[in-house]
Amino acid sequence: MSGGLLIAGTTSDAGKSVVTAGICRWLVRQGVKVAPFKAQNMSLNSFVTREGAEIGRAQAMQAQAARVEPTALMNPVLLKPGSDRSSQVVLMGRPVGEMSARGFFGTTGWATETPSGAGSPGDRLRGGRQEALLGTVLDCLAQLRGTYDAVICEGAGSPAEINLRRTDIVNMGVARNAGLPVLVVGDIDRGGVFASFFGTVALLSPEDQALVAGFLVNKFRGDVSLLEPGLDMLHGLTGRRSYGVLPFQHGLGIDEEDGLRVSLRGAVRESAVSSPVGEDILRVAVCAIPLMSNFTDVDALAAEPGIVVRFVDRAEELADADLVVVPGTRGTVRALQWLRERGLADAITRRAAEGRPVLGICGGYQLLGEHIEDEVESRAGQVDGLGLLPVRVRFAREKTLTRPVGEALGEHVEGYEIHHGVAEVTGGEAFFRDDQGHSLDGCRVGAVWGTHWHGSLESDGFRRAFLREVAAAAGRRFVPAADTSFAALREEQLDRLGDLIEEHADTDALWRLIESGAPQGLPFIPPGAPA
């Protein structure tokens, strides 16, 4: 078997990430060596590979579904929004500058360029134009296809965004250049799925339409027999078949690009919280700060029996919280201002004075400090932080991208760092240490903790030790479950995605599609793409 497939969608959030992960898990269980790929991702949720490259978290989780190590080849272009109009461009795992949407998708150059050094990947982007990256994208895909039996590619948004087709490098642009068959996923739970399927095909050029093999219905509720007449009519109208109807299931998902419906936390929020092991539950309030990034950090908390996790944006919502988490953000200074405007900053400060637990992660850690000197992200200069930790932060142009390992509270901890801010700790206790007891990262003063390490709460022993500290400080008789394994829960969830494909998709037809490409002679559906 040597082939590939592009999973496109009628809209954003149609289920492309989930379907891609599910197909990867189904294939690897069949003995196929498979890898995920997304040419260009726009997300504030990112991950650091072992070689120190930053990629989208969705691709890292898809790699886990495929049981392979994630690499920069799987997500060569990552856009990290800093505002409604501009994003940081991460190329092959390294930031190369800030670019406006017009500059990236159009014909203009950098909006605000971050120097990246002569001969760097950023030089390829000077002069603007997204299509300048097509060569890099195709090279990465070719390397993966030369290494793996199959590569399952995820598109972005919709392939029928006719205003962006000329510069597209993630949907039909990559499918055309790589000769990939395309499967279009539609979210029937939103309604209008038949019109969306038909319209998606009808707005593509004849050359693009020739690669669209068919459709996959996602999030269906009810009796599939009631849907079949519509699928038959769609086949008659387009000449393209359905490859399956996936039922709606609560808590299905992997780390998403953005939004708040995220993996294990989503499962907990949609169902009853598991009974606590001890006498009390713990309530965790996560501040929904602007440009929130890597909010997947709290998934491990939500996976614990007896813990209720909720996102908040009002000061009064902190009143009954046993732990307040200030998560990462792409805009630390902006988030700090937002907290002050909403009264959340005062509420957090009062909590700290009362000895009630607060945890800051990455950008959240930085704004808990005394001062922030930022000439890189916001260019606001020196700004006063909340003053809860003896930490001074200076933003560097170079981004820290590491996979650290250490100890905390007597337990082994692993994490990953993605930040421009460099912290100078002038007091308190070190949070994470090496095996010699030397400080690695973070700070603690009383019941206020801060760290740059994302993902640390996924280390089961450390998470349990931390929750015992939180419970003691909060006066709760909460006991962490002794047998909760976050890694095992993730694996169970990825297996559920594989089961979804195996049980509800036409896997024989999928196999032929991946191996042989789009069927020949697919009809053209007018009007096609405008000239």
Side-chain angles (χ1 to χ4, degrees):
M1 185 180 195
S2 178
L5 175 66
L6 182 100
I7 305 298
T10 55
T11 62
S12 295
D13 200 30
K16 297 183 293 290
S17 296
V18 168
V19 169
T20 300
I23 292 176
C24 284
R25 178 49 61 101
W26 162 65
L27 284 173
V28 78
R29 294 195 306 208
Q30 309 306 309
V32 177
K33 189 178 178 183
V34 60
F37 177 77
K38 185 162 186 174
Q40 174 191 302
N41 203 344
M42 178 173 280
S43 178
L44 288 171
N45 291 327
S46 57
F47 182 76
V48 179
T49 66
R50 292 203 181 278
E51 70 266 31
E54 185 179 9
I55 66 172
R57 274 198 65 98
Q59 280 61 65
M61 289 295 288
Q62 288 163 355
Q64 186 174 354
R67 296 179 179 149
V68 297
E69 188 67 30
T71 72
L73 292 175
M74 298 172 184
N75 181 205
V77 183
L78 173 64
L79 306 179
K80 302 193 73 174
S83 70
D84 292 340
R85 293 174 177 263
S86 68
S87 294
Q88 182 181 67
V89 181
V90 178
L91 180 60
M92 293 304 297
R94 297 289 173 180
V96 296
E98 295 279 335
M99 181 171 272
S100 68
R102 183 179 179 86
F104 191 72
F105 293 103
T107 57
T108 60
W110 294 103
T112 359
E113 187 179 320
T114 300
S116 49
S120 71
D123 292 337
R124 282 177 247 171
L125 291 179
R126 284 163 175 62
R129 293 211 170 188
Q130 187 184 24
E131 66 259 40
L133 297 174
L134 183 59
T136 299
V137 164
L138 294 176
D139 285 348
C140 291
L141 180 55
Q143 288 186 58
L144 291 174
R145 295 183 79 179
T147 304
Y148 294 91
D149 299 328
V151 179
I152 307 304
C153 307
E154 180 187 343
S158 162
E161 292 168 348
I162 54 179
N163 55 316
L164 302 177
R165 175 61 186 91
R166 183 176 60 83
T167 58
D168 171 45
I169 64 168
V170 65
N171 290 306
M172 302 312 299
V174 72
R176 278 269 292 279
N177 280 278
L180 294 174
V182 178
L183 187 63
V184 181
V185 177
D187 179 358
I188 197 170
D189 198 48
R190 293 183 172 190
V193 74
F194 292 117
S196 297
F197 280 145
F198 183 88
T200 296
V201 178
L203 282 176
L204 301 178
S205 68
E207 296 82 3
D208 287 349
Q209 286 194 24
L211 294 173
V212 179
F215 313 106
L216 187 68
V217 177
N218 192 28
K219 301 181 186 177
F220 179 71
R221 305 171 191 251
D223 186 345
V224 175
S225 66
L226 299 176
L227 189 65
E228 288 171 351
L231 295 174
D232 291 341
M233 284 186 274
L234 185 67
H235 188 190
L237 288 167
T238 66
R240 290 159 175 85
R241 54 162 298 170
S242 166
Y243 283 75
V245 177
L246 307 184
F248 186 98
Q249 292 191 16
H250 287 286
L252 265 187
I254 58 174
D255 295 358
E256 295 185 26
E257 295 173 1
D258 284 302
L260 291 180
R261 294 175 298 279
V262 180
S263 71
L264 293 169
R265 189 181 70 248
V268 172
R269 294 178 77 202
E270 292 172 357
S271 61
V273 176
S274 300
S275 299
V277 175
E279 297 180 41
D280 287 343
I281 65 171
L282 275 186
R283 294 177 175 84
V284 178
V286 184
C287 296
I289 56 180
L291 298 174
M292 184 167 46
S293 62
N294 287 71
F295 43 77
T296 48
D297 284 330
V298 300
D299 282 0
L301 295 179
E304 282 283 348
I307 290 189
V308 179
V309 176
R310 66 182 187 273
F311 283 76
V312 303
D313 58 8
R314 296 182 299 178
E316 55 268 30
E317 293 178 292
L318 302 187
D320 66 344
D322 300 304
L323 170 66
V324 169
V325 177
V326 187
T329 173
R330 173 86 162 87
T332 302
V333 172
R334 178 177 168 184
L336 185 58
Q337 180 182 2
W338 181 87
L339 289 171
R340 286 177 169 141
E341 289 172 349
R342 289 177 169 262
L344 285 159
D346 289 340
I348 292 171
T349 301
R350 286 194 299 271
R351 286 184 63 88
E354 296 165 0
R356 302 175 66 195
V358 176
L359 171 64
I361 302 174
C362 200
Y365 166 41
Q366 295 167 4
L367 60 81
L368 294 181
E370 297 170 347
H371 302 289
I372 298 169
E373 185 181 335
D374 182 10
E375 298 293 348
V376 176
E377 192 175 77
S378 68
R379 302 189 178 186
Q382 185 162 307
V383 177
D384 288 337
L386 296 187
L388 304 184
L389 292 174
V391 176
R392 297 172 182 173
V393 176
R394 177 185 56 83
F395 274 66
R397 291 197 178 277
E398 292 297 317
K399 182 184 280 191
T400 298
L401 295 168
T402 64
R403 290 272 292 271
V405 176
E407 296 179 355
L409 305 178
E411 298 287 346
H412 176 79
V413 189
E414 297 183 17
Y416 57 99
E417 295 186 56
I418 306 170
H419 55 91
H420 284 280
V422 177
E424 177 190 358
V425 180
T426 61
E429 303 174 43
F431 197 178
F432 297 124
R433 301 176 183 269
D434 62 18
D435 56 7
Q436 302 299 314
H438 301 125
S439 176
L440 289 176
D441 178 77
C443 181
R444 175 185 183 177
V445 174
V448 179
W449 296 266
T451 177
H452 275 127
W453 291 17
H454 294 290
S456 62
L457 293 167
E458 295 175 18
S459 298
D460 297 328
F462 165 69
R463 182 180 66 254
R464 287 192 277 269
F466 176 71
L467 289 174
R468 284 193 288 270
E469 295 257 342
V470 168
R476 295 288 186 187
R477 290 171 293 184
F478 170 85
V479 178
D483 58 352
T484 300
S485 167
F486 187 74
L489 288 171
R490 259 187 181 162
E491 277 299 302
E492 289 175 13
Q493 191 175 41
L494 292 170
D495 276 332
R496 287 180 66 201
L497 296 180
D499 293 343
L500 196 69
I501 297 299
E502 190 166 340
E503 295 169 9
H504 300 282
D506 186 337
T507 53
D508 288 340
L510 272 179
W511 192 280
R512 289 193 298 271
L513 194 61
I514 294 168
E515 192 171 40
S516 305
Q520 297 297 307
L522 292 169
F524 171 71
I525 308 302

